[in-house]
Amino acid sequence: MTKLGKGGTAACIALLMAVGTGCTNGEDEARTAAEQVAKSLTAVEVDVPLDGTTPEDAQDELDRIADALTGDEAAPTVTVGSVTLTEEEEQARVALRWAWDLPGTDRAWRYDTEAVLVERDGEWRLRWSPRVVEPSLRQGEALELAPLTPRRGDVLGADGARLVTDRPVFRFGLDKANTPPAEQVSSARDLARLLDIDADAFADRVEQAGKAAFVEALVLREEDVTGGITNQYRQIPGAVALADEIPLAPTRDFARAVLGTVGPVTAEMVEEPRSTYRVGDEAGLSGLQQRYDGSLRGKPGLTVEASTPEGEDRELFTVEAEPGTDLRTTLEPSLQLLAEEALAGVAPPSALVAVRPSDGAVLVAASGPGSEGLNTATAGQYAPGSTFKVVSALALLRSGLGTGSTVTCPRTTVVDGKSFKNYDDYPAAQLGRITLTTALASSCNTAFITEEGRVEDAALTGAAADLGLGVDHDLGFPAYFGSVPSPGSETEKAASMIGQGKVLASPMAMAAVAASVAEGRTVVPYLLPESRPSAPTEAGLAPGEARDLAAMMRETVARGSGAQLSDVPGEPVLAKTGTAEYGTGDPLPTHAWMIAAQGDLAVAVFVERGESGSRSAGPILEEFLRNAR
């Protein structure tokens, strides 16, 4: 550092006062020293000559003051403002401008401090003080960051109903600070057994946690905390239940596979490139909560505080948290709950999807408990079986057949050496020469297969597309619209005619088929109004086609395999049952399906392993329709 001869500063100031002319030598030297101080502080170091303290003591104090900020990857930038020389004691008062880039925000904390430089033996030295770092700091205080969590946006349903919103819970856990060390493991095990969680795993977490840690065991909804739990946990040393609120749906399983869950971020999420998550944050972990986490979670804020070892805090600067944006869906809460009640006792994977034909809104997307959290309702991929005969019937109508045209329904039929038959209890009275309407209503496999020669490969795919099946759309959530590929052989084509072979669909896609018949045009389902696909430019179905299909599906209810729906109150019900073989075994296991439409409601029910559409899916659909008014 450049040195200035003894008395040089005072002489310069005296000369400046006497003659009114510029004399910048001392000021320039002081500014040079000040720039070095700013550079050092930007690096969070005290690497400059000091006055009145040692470099080691000053550095220790700076580390103590700034550790919480720099440890959270905040970074200061310090620049020099004015430098003012004073005659007394040959000093320079330096205005330092501080700017901290605060983690997780797009705001900077800006303020000014004053540093005093003292000339000693021709050298400018910094007079160290905590107020060099922050002008109001008192002895013993340090800078701390207190995060501010934004309010997470709600997930809304039809008419603005709040599906996922903050609901009261209790966080059960062990407070190690108030648990005698000798009892911590036994208390952890007792609490785990009370809450029916892994006792060994929770005891291990308690042992590894800090001496004063609260170790969370389980979060329970307020309504799930029984009197027995309340009475018993209080008898366990150190066990506590902390009241809180977290984003939850009306019930534990309410549209869970679609809506998703919110929980603590994982280490992998924190470590991802360009991640904005920090340890302790909560985020969407699956479903819509995960896909739209960026808008739902909002922007976190924080407060910079001056804190003492005794826990006394002073607020210095705050970046307010910005609340998340609500996410709108079309789910109708009462219907969703009805669907989940209807599926509650179904052991295999299952689903019920309801669509409003007039606009395509998905009112229900329920996956049963047997799905074990998987999204069977909108993303499942299964052979649709005889529900697909609605598509085949449309293709046959377009080939020149009418609803009253005669087709042949033999007991069995053979295509390229492959034998096809009807379901085991197919009514014998409906064999032989029957109408196309009867073939659909009674679900005669062999009738549709014997007529497959009338249908071009592309015609079947086109008929499916016009009924909302097999054409992908980006709906903003996992949605499978099905696949109706061109068959590779006559055997595959025969299987396709009855919804087997390579034909696949989701329950949502089959609900769209029923909705398209009811509405008389191609209906594309949507769940998120913000991601609603454009309506097809053409109706897809001619008026006569829709009318004929509706009449045939009505006959299925009046005198066919959907007769159990014939006395459902309200408008006439249109329906089609379906059973599809899959997998291996003798006999082969079967998927059970039923689709229906009544008024402005179209429904598809699916059971992965069932007896038949009418026996396994039918009662579920009937229960739903009877209670959906």
Side-chain angles (χ1 to χ4, degrees), residues 1-4 33 49-50 118-125:
M1 182 177 290
T2 305
K3 297 182 180 180
L4 184 67
L50 298 173
V118 179
E119 186 186 12
R120 293 277 188 263
D121 300 325
E123 183 177 54
W124 288 102
R125 299 170 180 263

Side-chain angles (χ1 to χ4, degrees), residues 252-478:
R252 182 179 300 279
D253 298 319
F254 186 96
R256 185 183 181 92
V258 173
L259 299 182
T261 58
V262 178
V265 296
T266 64
E268 292 77 10
M269 293 169 68
V270 174
E271 294 166 2
E272 285 179 358
R274 297 183 298 280
S275 172
T276 60
Y277 298 119
R278 302 170 66 191
V279 174
D281 284 350
E282 292 204 335
L285 303 179
S286 60
L288 295 178
Q289 292 284 2
Q290 182 182 51
R291 178 157 182 173
Y292 297 96
D293 186 65
S295 59
L296 283 166
R297 71 189 294 248
K299 291 185 178 180
L302 54 77
T303 296
V304 183
E305 299 173 336
S307 178
T308 67
E310 293 74 33
E312 298 177 357
D313 301 326
R314 290 188 300 112
E315 181 179 317
L316 300 176
F317 180 76
T318 295
V319 177
E320 297 292 346
E322 298 180 21
T325 302
D326 292 343
L327 179 66
R328 295 193 301 137
T329 76
T330 57
L331 293 179
E332 211 294 321
S334 61
L335 292 180
Q336 181 74 28
L337 288 169
L338 276 178
E340 288 173 357
E341 289 172 8
L343 295 173
V346 182
S350 59
L352 190 156
V353 176
V355 171
R356 187 164 57 216
S358 59
D359 63 358
V362 176
L363 305 178
V364 173
S367 298
S371 297
E372 298 182 343
L374 296 179
N375 184 2
T376 306
T378 72
Q381 301 183 24
Y382 303 96
S386 292
T387 57
F388 186 78
K389 288 174 183 170
V390 176
V391 174
S392 301
L394 175 59
L396 289 171
L397 289 173
R398 289 175 172 178
S399 75
L401 291 181
T403 57
S405 295
T406 301
V407 295
T408 302
C409 177
R411 291 184 183 277
T412 62
T413 188
V414 177
V415 178
D416 278 354
K418 168 69 175 177
S419 178
F420 292 89
K421 64 176 183 175
N422 294 313
Y423 55 91
D424 290 341
D425 56 351
Y426 183 84
Q430 305 302 335
L431 291 171
R433 302 287 287 173
I434 60 176
T435 66
L436 180 60
T437 294
T438 301
L440 182 76
S442 299
S443 203
C444 179
N445 290 338
T446 56
F448 280 86
I449 291 171
T450 56
E451 297 296 329
E452 56 92 10
R454 301 178 61 91
V455 178
E456 299 290 337
D457 294 351
L460 192 62
T461 301
D466 288 342
L467 288 169
L469 179 63
V471 179
D472 287 338
H473 302 270
D474 182 5
L475 300 185
F477 70 99

Side-chain angles (χ1 to χ4, degrees), residues 27 31 34 79-84 92-97 113-115:
E27 185 177 339
R31 178 169 288 278
T79 57
V80 177
S82 63
V83 177
T84 305
R93 297 191 178 279
V94 179
L96 296 177
R97 295 170 179 165
T113 65
E114 183 178 86

